[in-house]
Amino acid sequence: PGSLPSGPDPATAVPNPAAAAPVRSGRRVVKIDIITIFPEYFSPLRVSLLGKAAERGIIEFAVHDLRSWAHDVHHSVDDAPFGGGPGMVMSPGPWGEALDAVLGTGSPGTRLILPTPSGVPFRQDMAAAYGRNARLVFACGRYEGIDARFGDEARTRVPVDEVSVGDYVLSGGEPAALVMIDAVCRLLPGVLGNAESAPDDSFGGGAGPMAGLLEGPVFTRPRVWRGREVPPILLSGDHAAIARWRRDEALRRTVACRPDLMAALPPDTLDGRDRQVLADAGFPLSGEDMAH
Ligand code: ADE
């Protein structure tokens, strides 16, 4: 079912029962290959938004078990590090063969992503750019990482990015790949429903009034819950006042959680009320200029 083992690879395709369904002509499909020693780690791709997008043929996932390219009896994929040091390093052999098989004869529009805590920080703009590739290959390393020659050789064939999802160390590239895949896929046309809107998210990159700010708090029914009332302004029907309140809250949250983002806002995007809110929140403003 689903997508395509290539060569000796018994790819664990994430089931895609609607793959044969009619696909609107001209629609772009993004193919995502994942190479890992834990294929079962990627069962979340069948769930929720991404699962539905795969069923509808907007995204195609193929998960490949690295051990299919390990040829010794134990299917080993790692070895002791040259130069000494703790832990094990993933051998280039199986990785090279895996990439050969996954890339096949051609790789136009393909990008290889190596999740690693020593990579460049993953950001929303990268998620959007990745979604414009025809194909993304995630190579999930474990242990102390993959022999560096693998990435160097791959770079002669496809663009390669070493990417970190944050300043902390995970037990392997798998959870990082899931994070990036989710961020990429929800931006693809047709994946988010009408109810959701990517540009207004925190980091959504929209050019609107909330650009560069974190999203503030949100509320729904009931109007009073455990004695806590929804802010009355949200019930006022005064759209301008509500927009102003939302911006105030976004400014307060950004100051509290991400002063670095606040400091990066161009000062000329701040009006008098913004400056008042920031001053009340204790964010340093000097004269008419933001302090950096
Ligand atoms: N592998 C281990 N930690 C990681 C991180 N923070 N980002 C990406 N890949 C990783």
Side-chain angles (χ1 to χ4, degrees):
S3 34
L4 67 160
S6 48
D9 174 22
T12 313
V14 174
N16 184 355
V23 171
R24 261 180 287 135
S25 63
R27 185 168 67 187
R28 210 162 44 85
V29 175
V30 178
K31 170 106 203 271
I32 297 183
D33 291 278
I34 300 154
I35 310 170
T36 173
I37 56 168
F38 295 121
E40 62 276 24
Y41 211 101
F42 292 90
S43 42
L45 298 180
R46 297 193 191 101
V47 179
S48 186
L49 217 62
L50 299 198
K52 290 207 185 72
E55 277 177 19
R56 285 156 50 212
I58 300 173
I59 317 165
E60 270 177 45
F61 295 115
V63 184
H64 312 270
D65 187 348
L66 179 69
R67 289 197 200 275
S68 1
W69 293 282
H71 302 298
D72 65 315
V73 283
H74 297 110
H75 299 287
S76 26
V77 293
D78 60 347
D79 209 333
F82 277 124
M88 300 289 270
V89 174
M90 295 191 100
S91 313
W95 278 109
E97 287 188 37
L99 190 65
D100 294 345
V102 167
L103 293 182
T105 48
S107 52
T110 300
R111 178 171 290 271
L112 174 65
I113 298 149
L114 305 175
T116 166
S118 42
V120 298
F122 185 63
R123 295 163 47 105
Q124 187 69 19
D125 54 348
M126 293 162 71
Y130 283 173
R132 294 191 281 273
N133 287 265
R135 191 175 192 193
L136 299 171
V137 181
F138 288 86
C140 302
R142 286 255 146 188
Y143 317 117
E144 296 301 310
I146 305 173
D147 186 304
R149 292 168 294 180
F150 166 65
D152 292 344
E153 197 267 346
R155 213 168 259 119
T156 67
R157 298 190 276 163
V158 290
V160 178
D161 291 345
E162 294 184 88
V163 187
S164 166
V165 296
D167 292 344
Y168 40 77
V169 180
L170 302 166
S171 53
E174 286 81 3
L178 276 178
V179 164
M180 290 188 262
I181 290 166
D182 185 280
V184 169
C185 291
R186 65 185 285 282
L187 296 179
L188 298 176
V191 172
L192 283 188
N194 286 338
E196 297 106 325
S197 151
D200 287 343
D201 293 339
S202 302
F203 314 111
M210 306 298 246
L213 298 177
L214 300 182
E215 265 189 289
V218 294
F219 300 88
T220 186
R221 280 188 285 263
R223 199 176 55 73
V224 182
W225 178 76
R226 298 191 177 181
R228 295 163 186 272
E229 293 207 22
V230 167
I233 188 122
L234 296 178
L235 312 174
S236 69
D238 181 341
H239 298 297
I242 291 170
R244 183 62 252 183
W245 180 87
R246 289 205 167 120
R247 183 164 171 88
D248 291 359
E249 291 298 315
L251 288 163
R252 290 189 189 108
R253 185 169 287 198
T254 307
V255 166
C257 300
R258 293 293 302 275
D260 58 317
L261 293 183
M262 197 66 244
L265 268 195
D268 60 4
T269 64
L270 299 173
D271 65 17
R273 168 70 189 170
D274 292 339
R275 288 161 195 275
Q276 184 61 52
V277 171
L278 294 177
D280 292 348
F283 191 78
L285 288 169
S286 62
E288 285 300 293
D289 290 324
M290 306 268 315
H292 288 281

